[in-house]
């Protein structure tokens, strides 16, 4: 298998300017993250709170941590209290968003978040349904947030080999972002379209993604 540094260089060389790479390091040991860090990587994505809380103090302070997993409401306070989260990418309900806002306000931090939208065929994936998300923006409920900034949306394509299906899912997610912008033309800093993983990030970029979350193609297979 190629080294982490080699894989990073290869992937970066394929990314157009303006597309950010988040190295998804869940289930990988801190040594692997350090290797990526030494190869210049600064944005890392984790999906489990305990693992993230353990890794943060062991790694350099200029890492930008992205939380990308399903966030349980009873873990929000601990996540916000780290004061180290650059972006919570996986806000999948209004209840969760309100709690992040409440805890951020209380901790005197501003949390940056993405709304996760569910378009994939699987029932198991988390996220707002497109119509729920549009309704949220149409009703301008984001105006009630005190300590949270919604920076864009995140989504995943169906888990399939059918590239036409995957591209259609990415186009649908990109279209939801455009519809939100049309509903709320005054939204500021709503710029991030996070989509694409190891197997499908080129298709995601073709559909307009500007943030890709790549794990396996950098670190190899995860040991669960
Ligand atoms: C694990 C994970 C990824 C990375 O998946 P790979 O196939 O290893 O690149 C990206 N996004 C989310 C939300 C994930 O949970």
């Amino acid at each position: 298998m190629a080294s982490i540094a080699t894989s990073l260089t290869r992937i970066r060389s394929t990314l157009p300017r303006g597309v950010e790479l988040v190295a998804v390091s869940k289930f990988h040991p801190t040594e692997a993250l350090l290797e990526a860090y030494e190869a210049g990587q600064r944005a890392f994505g984790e999906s489990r709170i305990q693992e993230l809380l353990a890794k943060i103090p062991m790694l350099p302070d200029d890492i930008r941590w992205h939380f990308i997993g399903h966030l349980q409401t009873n873990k929000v306070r601990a996540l916000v209290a780290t004061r180290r989260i650059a972006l919570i990418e996986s806000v999948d309900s209004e209840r969760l968003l309100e709690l992040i806002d409440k805890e951020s306000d209380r901790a005197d931090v501003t949390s940056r978040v993405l709304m996760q939208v569910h378009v994939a065929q699987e029932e198991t994936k988390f996220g707002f349904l497109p119509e729920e998300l549009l309704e949220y923006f149409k009703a301008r409920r984001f105006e009630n947030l005190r300590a949270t900034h919604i920076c864009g949306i995140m989504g995943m394509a169906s888990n399939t080999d059918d590239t036409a299906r995957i591209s259609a899912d990415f186009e649908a997610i990109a279209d939801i972002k455009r519809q939100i912008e049309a509903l709320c033309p005054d939204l500021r800093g709503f710029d991030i379209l996070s989509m694409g993983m190891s197997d499908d990030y080129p298709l995601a970029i073709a559909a307009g993604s500007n943030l890709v979350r790549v794990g396996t193609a950098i670190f190899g297979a995860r040991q669960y």
Side-chain angles (χ1 to χ4, degrees), residues 24 26 47 68-69 154 156 196-199 213-217 222:
V24 175
K26 62 190 187 197
S47 60
I68 63 170
M154 184 273 254
M156 283 181 251
M197 327 202 309
S198 292
D199 288 338
R213 310 174 309 270
V214 178
T216 310
R222 290 179 281 273

Side-chain angles (χ1 to χ4, degrees), residues 164-178:
R165 173 79 233 173
I166 294 169
S167 290
D169 285 351
F170 287 143
E171 294 291 351
I173 297 164
D175 192 54
I176 291 159
K177 180 164 178 287
R178 283 190 291 269

Side-chain angles (χ1 to χ4, degrees), residues 98-190:
E98 275 159 22
L99 192 61
I100 290 169
D101 192 51
K102 183 171 147 226
E103 293 295 343
S104 303
D105 194 33
R106 172 197 187 111
D108 204 20
V109 300
T110 301
S111 288
R112 300 172 69 248
V113 306
L114 303 181
M115 303 292 249
Q116 181 174 352
V117 61
H118 175 112
V119 301
Q121 281 159 333
E122 296 90 80
E123 304 268 309
T124 52
K125 289 206 170 123
F126 292 102
F128 288 87
L129 294 174
E131 53 274 24
E132 281 177 335
L133 198 53
L134 293 172
E135 159 60 24
Y136 177 82
F137 283 95
K138 196 168 178 197
R140 301 186 66 88
R141 290 204 284 278
F142 56 86
E143 288 179 345
N144 301 328
L145 299 172
R146 298 158 57 97
T148 310
H149 186 86
I150 302 175
C151 301
I153 70 175
M154 184 273 254
M156 283 181 251
S158 304
N159 186 9
T160 169
D161 292 334
D162 177 356
T163 54
R165 173 79 233 173
I166 294 169
S167 290
D169 285 351
F170 287 143
E171 294 291 351
I173 297 164
D175 192 54
I176 291 159
K177 180 164 178 287
R178 283 190 291 269
Q179 289 184 56
I180 293 169
E181 287 160 344
L183 282 171
C184 306
D186 56 330
L187 271 185
R188 289 290 168 266
F190 186 75

Side-chain angles (χ1 to χ4, degrees), residues 13-165:
S13 72
T14 69
L15 299 181
R17 189 185 296 270
V19 176
E20 189 183 4
L21 173 64
V22 174
V24 175
S25 47
K26 62 190 187 197
F27 294 95
H28 292 288
T30 51
E31 296 74 51
L33 282 78
L34 263 182
E35 208 174 316
Y37 180 88
E38 265 141 33
Q41 184 64 31
R42 292 293 178 274
F44 290 85
E46 291 281 337
S47 60
R48 299 187 305 169
I49 297 288
Q50 289 315 322
E51 185 177 344
L52 175 59
L53 296 183
K55 282 174 173 170
I56 287 175
M58 295 169 74
L59 287 153
D61 283 342
D62 61 342
I63 284 181
R64 300 188 300 278
W65 295 101
H66 289 217
F67 190 78
I68 63 170
H70 175 60
L71 180 53
Q72 290 168 283
T73 49
N74 63 354
K75 303 280 169 60
V76 171
R77 183 169 296 180
L79 184 69
V80 168
T82 64
R83 314 179 75 88
R84 287 294 316 281
I85 310 305
L87 190 63
I88 302 174
E89 296 203 22
S90 42
V91 174
D92 54 16
S93 72
E94 244 180 282
R95 186 165 106 91
L96 176 62
L97 179 60
E98 275 159 22
L99 192 61
I100 290 169
D101 192 51
K102 183 171 147 226
E103 293 295 343
S104 303
D105 194 33
R106 172 197 187 111
D108 204 20
V109 300
T110 301
S111 288
R112 300 172 69 248
V113 306
L114 303 181
M115 303 292 249
Q116 181 174 352
V117 61
H118 175 112
V119 301
Q121 281 159 333
E122 296 90 80
E123 304 268 309
T124 52
K125 289 206 170 123
F126 292 102
F128 288 87
L129 294 174
E131 53 274 24
E132 281 177 335
L133 198 53
L134 293 172
E135 159 60 24
Y136 177 82
F137 283 95
K138 196 168 178 197
R140 301 186 66 88
R141 290 204 284 278
F142 56 86
E143 288 179 345
N144 301 328
L145 299 172
R146 298 158 57 97
T148 310
H149 186 86
I150 302 175
C151 301
I153 70 175
M154 184 273 254
M156 283 181 251
S158 304
N159 186 9
T160 169
D161 292 334
D162 177 356
T163 54
R165 173 79 233 173

